[in-house]
Amino acid sequence: MSLRERDKKHLWHPLTQHKIHPEALPIVKAKGALLYGEDGETYIDGIASWYTAMYGHCNEYIIKKVQDQMQQLDQIVFSGFTHKPAIKLSEELIKILPGNQEKIFFSDNGSTANEVGIKMALQFHFNQSEKRNTIIAFEDGFHGDTFGAMSASGLSVYNGPFEDFFIDVKRIPTPNSENIDSILQQLQAIIQNNKVAAFIYEPLVQGANAMHMFEAEYLDQILKICKENKIITIADEVMTGFGKTGSTFASDHIDTKPDIISMSKALTAGFVPMAVTSCTQEIYDAFLDDSVGKAFFHAHTYSANPIACSVALAGIELLSTDEVQNNIQRIIKSHQEFNEKIKKHSKVKITRQKGVIFALDLNIEMDRYGKKRYEIFDHFMKQGVFLRPLGNTIYILAPYVITKTQLEKIYDTILTLLDTL
């Protein structure tokens, strides 16, 4: 029996309506920017497997680091114990994070990283005898699938059945030159009429919202008002972190730095799950007290897993190399050149780019998970390219190790699609 048939017997896949789409393609091997299917076909991973494997699949440098760590220490409780990989990772992260970050808290994935950030913000005020129960977030943002993260997310396709159970969240539009003044007025009204604890945001690029992008200067104005009103700012860098916007973090582009930053995905380079929530010394100090009740009672069994920490350390080392940094610049320039070719195509509504993230909207109407979307997905796969359209948005977020030839094939496959629509 094939892997495909065995899969259908017991497995329940994410973001899948199995009655309509019962098939999953078995991948038996991955290397660099390539995926190898059980069907014998090879596919270019144009989205780095949800923005994780940025240094390439099965990177040999990272594998060696994992092998060494597995022979020394596999797993140890992180409550009451510590270990060198976690200590070293905290030191290396603080070096590359915005300068106001001082403390590192470990969890398991992007959702939990944001969950931790939201809980930190709420308890920060609670510990100072100030009950603030409202969060501000952008419209159509996405922060994860746990309840706090869902509460902050604005994409109802993910959250519909659960909305009656959410934290109180007030939403504002993402800013631009035309709406920034009205947003700032709306923000002031929300602050005046609610006890606002935190503002959570995806800096510069909203990933699940079809790679919607906005400018740093307008976000900065929002952040400054939050700071003036002692509202904790939480930058969700789960997608944007570790080089994707052309800087190490998207927050590097913005003058006003966040109080809390959540990280995952590329943090562990596509090898193992892990997440980090960093914060300022001021946030951390609010939890220091003779009362145990003011401690941060949030824990994950695999927090700071030594193997995951060793992977993250290897990834940070690779990110800092000239080779990877040159590759990032090469991809940025290549996207810019491709954009010049297609931006005036009759089937292209609009294009946008931030760092290695490139997106275009097709000039056709279609549902996010409708029939046409799957037809486009199948077109790419038949050409040996794995891209995952978000409705009528096609985006590229490939591993930093992708070759010029592989990137050209992705572009050619998109051009072929445009000419056949």
Side-chain angles (χ1 to χ4, degrees), residues 124-348:
F124 172 85
H125 297 291
F126 181 86
N127 280 1
Q128 298 176 88
S129 301
E130 186 177 2
K131 187 175 181 180
R132 297 196 184 193
N133 57 4
T134 299
I135 294 172
I136 297 173
F138 281 135
E139 295 173 354
D140 298 323
F142 179 75
H143 301 286
D145 295 321
T146 52
F147 265 85
M150 276 198 299
S151 297
S153 300
L155 291 172
S156 61
V157 66
Y158 295 102
N159 304 333
F162 314 107
E163 290 178 353
D164 289 344
F165 308 97
F166 284 174
I167 298 169
D168 182 29
V169 176
K170 308 300 181 187
R171 304 195 191 282
I172 58 176
T174 53
N176 57 50
S177 59
E178 295 180 356
N179 68 7
I180 183 61
D181 290 338
S182 64
I183 288 175
L184 295 181
Q185 291 175 10
Q186 182 183 351
L187 180 63
Q188 293 283 18
I190 292 171
I191 294 169
Q192 184 175 348
N193 296 310
N194 298 273
K195 296 178 179 180
V196 180
F199 168 50
I200 186 169
Y201 59 98
E202 297 163 275
L204 309 188
V205 186
Q206 290 183 310
N209 186 25
M211 298 297 167
H212 174 69
M213 301 180 187
F214 51 98
E215 296 301 319
E217 61 178 298
Y218 305 119
L219 175 57
D220 194 56
Q221 294 181 52
I222 293 171
L223 294 175
K224 284 178 178 176
I225 290 177
C226 290
K227 295 280 188 177
E228 290 167 2
N229 290 275
K230 297 183 180 180
I231 294 168
I232 303 303
T233 53
I234 306 170
D236 177 355
E237 296 254 15
V238 171
M239 192 276 285
T240 51
F242 302 98
K244 299 190 190 80
T245 62
S247 61
T248 306
F249 293 96
S251 296
D252 295 333
H253 297 282
I254 306 159
D255 290 338
T256 306
K257 304 307 178 188
D259 302 299
I260 294 172
I261 300 177
S262 52
M263 295 156 267
S264 191
K265 291 192 182 290
L267 170 68
T268 45
F271 273 73
V272 290
M274 189 173 75
V276 161
T277 306
S278 68
C279 70
T280 63
Q281 188 70 39
E282 181 184 6
I283 299 292
Y284 176 80
D285 286 347
F287 292 79
L288 299 179
D289 197 88
D290 291 332
S291 169
V292 174
K294 287 191 175 181
F296 189 52
F297 273 82
H298 186 107
H300 292 251
T301 301
Y302 278 87
S303 290
N305 172 262
I307 296 168
C309 289
S310 68
V311 170
L313 280 165
I316 291 172
E317 289 178 36
L318 290 173
L319 181 62
S320 66
T321 63
D322 289 342
E323 179 181 2
V324 169
Q325 289 299 314
N326 290 337
N327 281 349
I328 288 172
Q329 294 306 313
R330 171 177 59 84
I331 294 168
I332 290 172
K333 183 179 179 182
S334 184
H335 284 345
Q336 291 169 344
E337 293 170 353
F338 176 60
N339 182 60
E340 290 301 313
K341 287 184 182 179
I342 66 159
K343 66 181 182 180
K344 294 183 180 179
H345 195 287
S346 62
K347 291 297 176 18
V348 174

Side-chain angles (χ1 to χ4, degrees), residues 2-3 11 36 60 66 76 81 90 97 104 110 113 140 186 211 214 218 257 271-272 352 373 388:
S2 69
L3 292 175
L11 291 179
Y36 299 85
E60 293 179 6
V66 171
I76 188 68
F81 289 110
S90 70
L97 282 162
I104 299 295
D140 298 323
Q186 182 183 351
M211 298 297 167
F214 51 98
Y218 305 119
K257 304 307 178 188
F271 273 73
V272 290
R352 53 197 173 277
R373 181 263 181 198
R388 189 177 168 85

Side-chain angles (χ1 to χ4, degrees), residues 359-397:
L360 66 91
D361 292 347
L362 298 173
N363 197 20
I364 58 175
E365 294 297 322
M366 53 188 287
D367 294 332
R368 186 180 181 92
Y369 290 107
K371 181 180 178 182
K372 190 67 178 177
R373 181 263 181 198
Y374 285 95
E375 290 175 357
I376 292 171
F377 176 82
D378 289 342
H379 165 85
F380 292 135
M381 293 296 285
K382 287 175 182 176
Q383 302 298 317
V385 172
F386 173 43
L387 294 176
R388 189 177 168 85
L390 292 166
N392 69 338
T393 299
I394 296 167
Y395 71 94
I396 306 169
L397 212 174

